[in-house]
Amino acid sequence: MIRLENVSKVYKGSVVALRDISTDIQKEEFVFLVGSSGSGKSTFIKMLLKEEEPSEGTIYVAGKDIGQLPRWRVPYLRRNIGCVFQDFKLLANKTVRENVAFALEVIGRPKNIISQRVPAIIELVGLTDKLNSMPHELSGGEQQRVCIARAMVNRPPILLADEPTGNLDPSTSADIMNLLERLNESGTTVLIATHDHAVVDRSRKRVIELDGGKLVRDQVRGVYGIG
Amino acid sequence: MALRVNYFVDETVSNLRRNVLLTLAAVSTVSISLLLLGVVMVGGEVLTKMVSSWEGKVELNVFLRDEATPEEVKALGSQANGMPEVEKVFFESKEQAFEEYKRMFKDSPAITENVDPNALPASYRIKLKDPNSAEAVASRLQGQPGVDEVQFGGEAMKRLLKFTGVVRTILVIAIILTLGAAILLIANTIRLGIYARRKEIGIMKLVGATNWFIRVPFIFEGTVQAALGALLASALIYAGKVFGLDRMQDAILFLPLTVSSGSIIRMFFTLLAIGIVIGVFGSSLALRRFLEV
Ligand SMILES: Nc1ncnc2c1ncn2[C@@H]1O[C@H](COP(=O)(O)OP(=O)(O)O)[C@@H](O)[C@H]1O
Ligand SMILES: [Mg+2]
């Protein structure tokens, strides 16, 4: 579903964020991408969305080389990838309901589907009482949950999450992980970038570890630290 | 597609409502720019009318010899009528000339009493399509059989025409300048508005929106703002006509200082079209940079 072949990323100013990464994530897999801050996790995710281009190497999503994708096709790639951004990226002048609905409006879903699916997914992330709040009226954890709802609402085949539990307390964080695991069980390929040890250790899923931009570990039933 | 139109309209309305300050700034900039342009356009129309009415008074007088034969007179009339520069030819007989003379001096019978009705010559009065051709037409008619003298305004008229020519040139320059200023001001306001929302545009793209999906509400917004601006500008100009020009017109009767409501309506549509064109092109251009995510 996601394949990287010898991918490197050098940012302007010669910061090497990723070095010669090759890996393969199968359809319906659940994978953690771990590593300390600055190890290149966000860069990895941004390249899958074509928010950043690799400096070298090839990235395949659903069998297609996304480096060859014409500009106008990029939105269609992104519609197949739900993404929980590290900085949330909520639309500041839209309510919670409208932010989540936006992902469906973009793909032209009819109004009745939108008005039915949006409250349901918001209930799933536990924000029903904030339906009509603006993002600036929410706590970090609440904004994160809106972002998760938006990423899931159009049932994409791939879900990427960049530190999805970064702003959540342990119990909410466990709820969110359960949600993502259920999503995975229903057939979605899930990739989670995190440095949250507890979350990784509890799930016992495949772990890919980055260190200084290099892939240093790829373990089938891993924990956060080597062990 | 019907669904999309629905979304675009909702989106436009809520953006206008939620960015009230930006909307107000945009509408007032548009209306001030268009007001300037509108005032120059209306002022131009008033001046053009005034200038044309002066120019319209320019006539050639071809005085005929008393001994000219009716054939000569007729031939001269048809020659003048056949000239491409000539709009209209009036014949004034000796009797009509005398009547006119009496009418002009009706308050001073002493002057008219001593004049022989036959002393005044018959003449052709010639109205020209373009008063600038007066000299050329005059020199062609001068010396034709039966012609005694051809009179046209001469120096005074040349000066008048030079003046009206300058007025027209200044008007064209003023319209170009105000139009240019309006384009710059409106385009800049649009650019600022879009700049303020560049983050939003980037997010929409990351969630999978196509460029058109993002562009259309901006273009709708620009159109609504342009329309409101044009409406406001036209309303102010209309108020200026009713409370300013029309009252002045009552005071200064001899100057044709009128603007018809029809021409204000025409101006409204012109301003509306200009505003919308700038709005659509300006927002498309300004968006281009931020859509490359
Ligand atoms: N836009 C950028 N320009 C330059 N350097 C960047 C940029 N984004 C990230 N980096 C650098 O690349 C490295 C990896 O960053 P990132 O992928 O955000 O790591 P992580 O998400 O694991 O914390 C860091 O050294 C960071 O400073
Ligand atoms: Mg990161």
Side-chain angles (χ1 to χ4, degrees):
Chain A
M1 198 65 167
I2 298 170
R3 190 160 95 244
L4 277 72
E5 285 179 359
N6 309 104
V7 171
S8 297
K9 174 69 186 180
V10 183
Y11 281 111
K12 291 184 291 270
S14 72
V15 180
V16 182
L18 289 176
R19 288 169 210 267
D20 198 24
I21 304 282
S22 295
T23 190
D24 200 342
I25 294 168
Q26 299 300 317
K27 196 162 187 276
E28 304 189 10
E29 253 194 297
F30 191 109
V31 179
F32 286 112
L33 184 64
V34 304
S36 55
S37 173
S39 58
K41 305 182 295 295
S42 295
T43 303
F44 190 112
I45 284 182
K46 283 177 184 167
M47 287 192 308
L48 298 179
L49 277 176
K50 264 178 99 70
E51 192 183 347
E52 294 287 352
E53 298 293 330
S55 313
E56 270 170 60
T58 318
I59 299 175
Y60 298 89
V61 174
K64 290 212 182 69
D65 174 359
I66 62 170
Q68 301 294 323
L69 210 58
R71 196 178 262 289
W72 68 272
R73 295 281 320 168
V74 172
Y76 302 92
L77 166 75
R78 291 173 178 164
R79 289 173 194 186
N80 284 308
I81 305 177
C83 188
V84 183
F85 300 96
Q86 189 166 9
D87 55 353
F88 318 135
K89 295 201 191 299
L90 297 179
L91 295 165
N93 53 7
K94 287 189 189 301
T95 63
V96 167
R97 180 207 297 272
E98 290 164 341
N99 261 285
V100 176
F102 188 76
L104 293 173
E105 274 153 357
V106 156
I107 57 176
R109 284 279 176 277
K111 254 196 163 122
N112 59 326
I113 300 250
I114 295 178
S115 58
Q116 169 196 336
R117 225 193 264 177
V118 170
I121 203 103
I122 290 175
E123 191 183 351
L124 213 59
V125 297
L127 283 178
T128 302
D129 53 333
K130 306 279 182 181
L131 262 178
N132 297 312
S133 304
M134 303 301 279
H136 68 89
E137 297 164 341
L138 303 178
S139 73
E142 287 167 338
Q143 292 183 39
Q144 195 148 38
R145 283 185 276 160
V146 179
C147 191
I148 291 168
R150 180 180 64 187
M152 297 191 322
V153 72
N154 65 353
R155 300 173 187 161
I158 300 175
L159 189 118
L160 310 176
D162 197 349
E163 313 274 6
T165 57
N167 292 276
L168 305 179
D169 54 81
S171 86
T172 321
S173 141
D175 287 348
I176 292 300
M177 288 313 297
N178 282 335
L179 201 63
L180 293 175
E181 278 172 35
R182 285 224 309 277
L183 200 67
N184 174 241
E185 277 152 21
S186 71
T188 304
T189 309
V190 177
L191 175 68
I192 298 173
T194 184
H195 59 251
D196 185 338
H197 297 227
V199 158
V200 179
D201 292 348
R202 186 157 31 82
S203 295
R204 286 282 173 158
K205 301 283 190 187
R206 178 176 170 193
V207 173
I208 297 173
E209 184 176 345
L210 298 175
D211 185 10
K214 279 192 295 228
L215 198 159
V216 295
R217 178 165 62 119
D218 189 345
Q219 198 173 20
V220 177
R221 281 184 175 279
V223 291
Y224 194 95
I226 297 171
Chain B
M1 215 42 217
L3 302 165
R4 287 301 169 94
V5 171
N6 238 329
Y7 163 79
F8 289 142
V9 170
D10 288 354
E11 182 72 7
T12 304
V13 171
S14 83
N15 278 337
L16 287 169
R17 220 160 31 82
R18 283 181 189 161
N19 303 308
V20 182
L21 280 180
L22 280 176
T23 305
L24 280 181
V27 170
S28 50
T29 309
V30 172
S31 59
I32 288 167
S33 316
L34 293 183
L35 180 64
L36 225 69
L37 183 60
V39 165
V40 171
M41 277 165 58
V42 168
E45 195 179 316
V46 171
L47 270 180
T48 307
K49 239 191 239 165
M50 205 178 323
V51 159
S52 304
S53 82
W54 290 340
E55 287 172 342
K57 291 195 178 109
V58 174
E59 273 181 355
L60 283 185
N61 281 311
V62 182
F63 293 107
L64 304 174
R65 288 174 200 283
D66 287 350
E67 59 275 19
T69 64
E71 288 76 30
E72 281 171 344
V73 173
K74 231 175 128 192
L76 194 65
S78 49
Q79 187 196 0
N81 254 322
M83 289 181 177
E85 299 94 334
V86 169
E87 180 163 328
K88 219 164 185 176
V89 178
F90 305 93
F91 180 72
E92 193 175 75
S93 66
K94 288 172 94 69
E95 294 76 34
Q96 284 164 335
F98 185 63
E99 288 306 312
E100 178 69 9
Y101 182 77
K102 279 201 295 197
R103 205 177 57 76
M104 273 170 73
F105 294 102
K106 64 176 182 293
D107 298 333
S108 341
I111 299 178
T112 44
E113 269 164 20
N114 296 323
V115 175
D116 174 0
N118 261 321
L120 295 168
S123 65
Y124 276 114
R125 282 190 292 117
I126 300 177
K127 239 186 160 51
L128 298 167
K129 286 176 187 149
D130 175 5
N132 286 299
S133 59
E135 203 164 0
V137 174
S139 71
R140 248 180 292 154
L141 289 171
Q142 190 77 61
Q144 294 292 326
V147 173
D148 181 29
E149 196 192 354
V150 182
Q151 267 186 6
F152 66 101
E155 268 315 300
M157 193 192 67
K158 272 195 211 156
R159 252 181 288 137
L160 171 68
L161 290 180
K162 205 165 168 186
F163 173 70
T164 59
V166 169
V167 169
R168 282 175 204 273
T169 311
I170 290 176
L171 268 178
V172 170
I173 293 172
I175 286 187
I176 291 172
L177 285 181
T178 44
L179 182 62
I183 290 175
L184 286 180
L185 273 170
I186 296 172
N188 199 45
T189 316
I190 290 171
R191 224 166 46 83
L192 285 177
I194 287 175
Y195 186 77
R197 286 161 63 186
R198 67 194 181 287
K199 253 182 81 183
E200 194 182 328
I201 295 166
I203 293 172
M204 290 177 169
K205 286 230 60 180
L206 283 179
V207 183
T210 56
N211 287 353
W212 276 110
F213 191 78
I214 296 171
R215 213 178 271 141
V216 170
F218 275 101
I219 290 175
F220 278 18
E221 271 177 69
T223 308
V224 171
Q225 289 165 353
L228 287 176
L231 196 64
L232 201 60
S234 303
L236 287 173
I237 289 171
Y238 187 73
K241 165 194 148 60
V242 172
F243 298 109
L245 268 188
D246 289 358
R247 295 200 176 168
M248 251 156 78
Q249 168 69 9
D250 292 344
I252 324 172
L253 282 170
F254 58 90
L255 281 180
L257 271 176
T258 49
V259 184
S260 61
S261 299
S263 70
I264 298 233
I265 291 170
R266 231 179 309 118
M267 184 208 60
F268 165 68
F269 283 111
T270 311
L271 294 184
L272 186 65
I274 290 172
I276 289 174
V277 168
I278 303 174
V280 169
F281 279 94
S283 54
S284 304
L285 276 177
L287 274 171
R288 237 179 14 182
R289 243 183 70 209
F290 303 114
L291 285 174
E292 286 172 9
V293 179

